[in-house]
């Protein structure tokens, strides 16, 4: 806690907090002064009031919880799949050559466009949302892992081989740990994409989750409701990103500090 | 005569030629018809213009590559692949950044399935020999270049190889560190009675550290001259550098490499042994 206080006193952090206050104030009063009507930009107090109303009437916590759970499950499954395929292709150049054109095609296809299809397949359940997230999370993870496998220093591989390492030893002792920095940069991207995947899924079909509330608020011309939903989605994204950063810090503890990306 | 520890018998290695066309490109002959032996406990240096195939020879001795023609023997056994008899060390320390120094030194024994206790003990012993006993739990990035290279030597010695192959191990460190490492290595080779094949482009280093120096020609590389270094006390490269004979040997090598260069047909050859 003392370290938290200390970090709050740092000039950069202090400036950041000041900026937040200034932003809140500007949000509250500027639109009114500029003559922008509340149905375009509702002032901060309206948004806060709306969030309280949604908590009482619209089961906001349930919807948020559902979205959070879908993001978590979609993210984990997508990462797992991306890692399995990435490492698998990295271990087998033949498979990589065979599959790479199809993977490239699928990578270029806009993943969110699959959302209506998945809804048609699985109905108004959580599965289409999770599936879109899995699909969208899969690629950055897979691509980063595969890239890392391809760029492991040949001399390092030779060193490990010179100790008579077998294929799996080369993987576990060298390639897998060497791929960690790249894996984590993939996971960072994936964590924000997972939220996008789930929201699109929810917007396309169903009556649960923040994506649904987003569309519902739009239908009601309730701008404040849309704002509340966007803010909560951002919070979920931040949570997912923070989880990745925390895991990264503990896994990549051996790197000199400056080599860790921005938190 | 006793059996040599390491022997190259008429070894040729060529690589498929690079180029746009297929099939019609001439293969690149890296080394041609190289024969050499290194006796037990001997340190032999290999010098020659860059690109003449020194590293290629070393890779074949380590069993990481196979000759196109000829054969390599270690302890009388034909080298078919990586094996327990040899270990190598490069210009890059190749320490794994996610392992501590101690864990890095254990790597070879760990891969060979040595139990934790004994491999830890062996690694500590080698680190102590290399004056790194205070750095067991440091990560490689926390050490200087010279210390990292000593850690790499400890890792090489930990698997107790019969033959150590070194490919320009000191060319990435500053001049002063290099001198210190040379003495360390000289003393270590003498103390452990290890056999070594040592590639370098530093002629004085070659003379100071070895029993014999082999000179290679431009590509396709082959051995054009052998120089026996008749200066006592190989364990102490510092002392050897003071010896008056030192300059004569280096001069002779310079001459050899110059003559060799003038005789080369390709004027744009990038190789330069005296960089
Ligand atoms: N795996 C390889 N494939 C193709 N050419 C190679 C390979 N390894 C080395 N060579 C070529 O063989 C020649 C000798 O290389 P090398 O043994 O590294 O020389 P040196 O260590 O003496 O500088 C060089 O021309 C190099 O380009
Ligand atoms: Mg070389």
């Amino acid at each position: 806690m003392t370290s938290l206080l200390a970090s709050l006193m740092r000039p950069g952090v202090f400036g950041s907090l000041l900026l937040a206050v200034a932003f809140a104030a500007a949000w509250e009063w500027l639109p009114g002064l500029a003559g922008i009507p509340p149905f375009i930009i509702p002032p901060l107090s309206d948004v806060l009031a709306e969030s309280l109303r949604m908590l009482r009437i619209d089961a906001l916590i349930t919807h948020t919880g559902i979205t959070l759970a879908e993001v978590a499950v979609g993210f984990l499954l997508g990462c797992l799949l991306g890692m399995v395929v990435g490492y698998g292709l990295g271990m087998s150049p033949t498979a990589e050559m065979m599959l790479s054109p199809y993977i490239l095609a699928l990578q270029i296809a806009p993943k969110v466009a699959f959302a209506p299809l998945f809804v048609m397949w699985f109905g108004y359940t959580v599965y289409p949302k999770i599936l879109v997230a899995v699909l969208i999370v899969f690629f950055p993870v897979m691509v980063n892992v595969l890239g890392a496998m391809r760029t492991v220093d040949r001399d390092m591989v030779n060193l490990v081989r010179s100790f008579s390492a077998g294929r799996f030893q080369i993987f576990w002792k060298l390639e897998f740990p060497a791929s960690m920095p790249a894996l984590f940069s993939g996971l960072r991207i994936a964590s924000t994409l997972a939220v996008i995947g789930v929201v699109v899924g929810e917007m396309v079909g169903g009556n649960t989750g923040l994506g649904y509330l987003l569309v519902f608020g739009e239908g009601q011309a309730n701008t404040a409701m849309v704002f509340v939903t966007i803010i909560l989605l951002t919070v979920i994204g931040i949570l997912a990103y923070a989880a990745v950063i925390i895991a990264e810090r503990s896994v990549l503890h051996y790197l000199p500090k400056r080599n860790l990306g921005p938190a | 005569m006793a059996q040599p520890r390491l022997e190259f018998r008429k070894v040729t290695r060529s690589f498929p030629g690079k180029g746009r066309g297929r099939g019609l490109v001439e293969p690149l002959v890296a080394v041609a018809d190289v024969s050499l032996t290194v006796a037990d406990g001997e340190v032999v240096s290999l010098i020659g213009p860059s690109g003449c195939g020194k590293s290629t020879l070393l890779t074949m001795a380590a069993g990481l590559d196979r000759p196109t023609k000829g054969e390599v023997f270690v302890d009388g056994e034909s080298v078919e692949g990586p094996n327990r008899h040899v270990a190598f060390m490069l210009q890059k320390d190749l320490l794994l950044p996610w392992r501590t120094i101690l864990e890095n030194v254990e790597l070879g024994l760990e891969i060979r399935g040595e139990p934790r206790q004994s491999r830890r003990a062996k690694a500590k012993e080698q680190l102590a020999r290399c004056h790194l006993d205070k750095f067991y739990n440091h990560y490689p990035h926390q050490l200087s270049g010279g210390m990292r290279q000593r850690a790499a030597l400890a890792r090489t010695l930990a698997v107790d190889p019969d033959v150590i192959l070194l490919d320009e191990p000191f060319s990435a460190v500053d001049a002063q560190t290099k001198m210190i490492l040379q003495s360390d290595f000289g003393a270590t080779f003498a103390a452990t009675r290890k056999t070594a094949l040592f590639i370098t482009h530093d002629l004085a280093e070659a003379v100071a550290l070895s029993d014999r120096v082999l000179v290679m020609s431009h590509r396709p590389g082959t051995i054009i001259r052998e120089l026996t270094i008749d200066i006592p006390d190989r364990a102490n490269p510092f002392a050897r550098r003071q010896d008056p004979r030192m300059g004569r040997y280096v001069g002779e090598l310079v001459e050899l490499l110059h003559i060799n260069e003038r005789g080369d047909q390709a004027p744009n050859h990038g190789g330069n042994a005296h960089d």
Side-chain angles (χ1 to χ4, degrees):
Chain A
M1 275 297 106
T2 44
S3 73
L4 183 69
L5 259 178
S7 71
L8 280 180
M9 298 310 285
R10 279 213 312 257
V13 177
F14 185 70
S16 223
L17 286 174
L18 210 65
L19 210 60
V21 174
F23 178 76
W27 185 0
E28 179 64 27
W29 290 297
L30 267 191
L33 291 176
I36 298 172
F39 62 84
I40 301 290
I41 302 180
L44 181 58
S45 52
D46 281 15
V47 173
L48 291 176
E50 173 65 13
S51 66
L52 293 178
R53 189 197 65 76
M54 287 167 78
L55 273 176
R56 271 183 293 118
I57 315 282
D58 291 325
L60 185 58
I61 292 183
T62 314
H63 287 294
T64 309
I66 288 171
T67 301
L68 187 63
E70 288 166 349
V71 167
V73 173
F75 176 68
L76 289 177
L77 288 180
C79 289
L80 215 61
L81 196 66
M83 285 168 70
V84 167
V85 175
Y87 288 123
L89 293 183
M91 295 275 278
S92 160
T94 324
E96 192 203 331
M97 273 219 307
M98 211 170 75
L99 294 176
S100 62
Y102 308 104
I103 288 173
L104 187 68
L106 203 59
Q107 192 184 350
I108 290 169
K111 263 72 69 185
V112 291
F114 287 80
L117 184 66
F118 293 156
V119 170
M120 288 156 79
W121 287 350
F122 299 102
Y124 285 5
T125 60
V126 293
Y127 302 114
K129 292 103 180 178
I130 291 172
L131 215 54
V132 182
V134 167
L135 195 61
I136 201 168
V137 158
F138 171 79
F139 286 96
V141 175
M142 197 259 326
V143 168
N144 276 31
V145 162
L146 186 54
M149 289 282 283
R150 280 210 211 101
T151 52
V152 173
D153 186 343
R154 296 312 303 165
D155 289 326
M156 291 261 196
V157 176
N158 275 342
L159 175 77
V160 177
R161 275 180 60 209
S162 80
F163 295 129
S164 313
R167 188 64 192 89
F168 284 94
Q169 278 180 315
I170 295 176
F171 178 73
W172 285 116
K173 304 275 184 224
L174 177 63
E175 290 169 326
F176 184 70
S179 74
M180 283 300 123
L183 171 66
F184 274 100
S185 55
L187 294 184
R188 284 172 184 231
I189 302 167
S191 66
T192 56
L193 289 179
V195 182
I196 297 179
V198 166
V199 172
V200 171
E202 288 173 344
M203 286 167 74
V204 168
N207 45 20
T208 52
L210 291 174
Y212 162 71
L213 289 187
L214 208 53
V215 177
F216 182 80
E218 184 208 352
Q220 305 276 307
N222 184 347
T223 318
M225 187 172 187
V226 173
F227 268 75
V228 170
T229 316
I230 292 174
I231 290 169
L232 285 174
L233 285 170
T234 309
V235 170
I236 291 179
I238 290 171
L239 287 179
Y241 194 78
V244 172
I245 297 286
I246 288 167
E248 180 172 359
R249 288 262 162 95
S250 77
V251 172
L252 300 183
H253 64 90
Y254 58 85
L255 289 183
K257 284 286 173 288
R258 69 193 130 76
N259 286 1
L260 279 174
Chain B
M1 201 183 113
Q3 186 184 58
R5 280 286 187 188
L6 174 65
E7 179 178 7
F8 283 75
R9 212 177 280 167
K10 292 184 168 307
V11 168
T12 297
R13 177 69 170 105
S14 47
F15 296 103
K18 283 190 190 119
R20 279 160 204 284
R22 274 191 205 174
L24 293 170
V25 209
E26 289 228 334
L28 182 150
V29 182
V31 289
D33 205 25
V34 168
S35 296
L36 67 89
T37 58
V38 184
D40 182 38
E42 201 182 18
V43 175
V44 174
S45 283
L46 201 55
I47 63 172
S50 69
C52 73
K54 303 182 293 294
S55 300
T56 303
L57 287 178
L58 190 134
T59 316
M60 288 187 288
L64 296 166
D65 188 20
R66 302 292 301 275
T68 313
K69 264 188 260 160
E71 235 175 325
V72 183
F73 297 89
V74 172
D75 288 332
E77 285 174 32
S78 175
V79 175
E80 310 275 335
N83 62 74
R84 296 174 166 267
H85 304 286
V86 281
F88 74 87
M89 185 176 162
L90 306 184
Q91 174 181 344
K92 294 187 274 182
D93 54 66
L94 300 180
L95 296 171
L96 305 178
W98 54 86
R99 283 177 172 244
T100 62
I101 295 303
L102 186 60
E103 289 165 348
N104 263 292
V105 174
E106 283 179 45
L107 179 69
L109 296 167
E110 187 182 318
I111 289 172
R112 290 183 183 175
E114 182 118 357
R116 188 180 204 86
Q117 291 290 321
S118 76
R119 72 178 189 238
R120 188 135 290 190
K122 286 181 184 176
K124 284 184 173 170
E125 184 191 327
Q126 293 308 331
L127 278 169
R129 177 200 292 291
C130 298
H131 316 295
L132 287 170
D133 33 345
K134 293 201 180 63
F135 300 95
Y136 291 158
N137 296 318
H138 282 60
Y139 284 94
H141 75 87
Q142 298 170 308
L143 267 57
S144 70
M147 289 157 90
R148 293 165 60 127
Q149 210 54 322
R150 287 211 302 268
L153 177 65
R155 178 188 58 205
T156 310
L157 292 170
V159 292
D160 195 24
D162 299 325
V163 178
I164 300 180
L165 307 164
L166 303 107
D167 196 346
E168 307 192 3
F170 312 132
S171 51
V173 296
D174 62 86
Q176 199 185 339
T177 309
K178 185 169 172 168
M179 297 279 253
I180 297 168
L181 287 178
Q182 286 167 357
S183 319
D184 279 0
F185 277 49
T188 305
F189 289 155
T192 54
R193 303 190 39 78
K194 290 290 181 199
T195 307
L197 182 63
F198 181 80
I199 296 175
T200 175
H201 57 245
D202 180 332
L203 307 182
E205 175 176 289
V207 174
L209 281 171
S210 27
D211 299 307
R212 269 189 300 142
V213 178
L214 302 174
V215 183
M216 286 180 77
S217 68
H218 275 304
R219 202 179 71 221
T222 192
I223 290 166
I224 53 170
R225 183 69 203 272
E226 174 183 338
L227 210 61
T228 303
I229 309 300
D230 208 358
I231 313 177
D233 202 7
R234 198 197 70 202
N236 188 350
F238 264 136
R240 269 185 151 201
R241 279 177 187 272
Q242 316 299 324
D243 196 287
R245 281 165 287 190
M246 175 84 191
R248 273 216 317 277
Y249 285 122
V250 173
E252 199 169 330
L253 291 174
V254 168
E255 194 118 315
L256 272 169
L257 288 161
H258 266 296
I259 290 163
N260 175 34
E261 222 157 41
R262 263 186 245 122
D264 191 78
Q265 297 299 302
N268 290 332
H269 201 288
N272 182 353
H274 324 293
D275 48 357

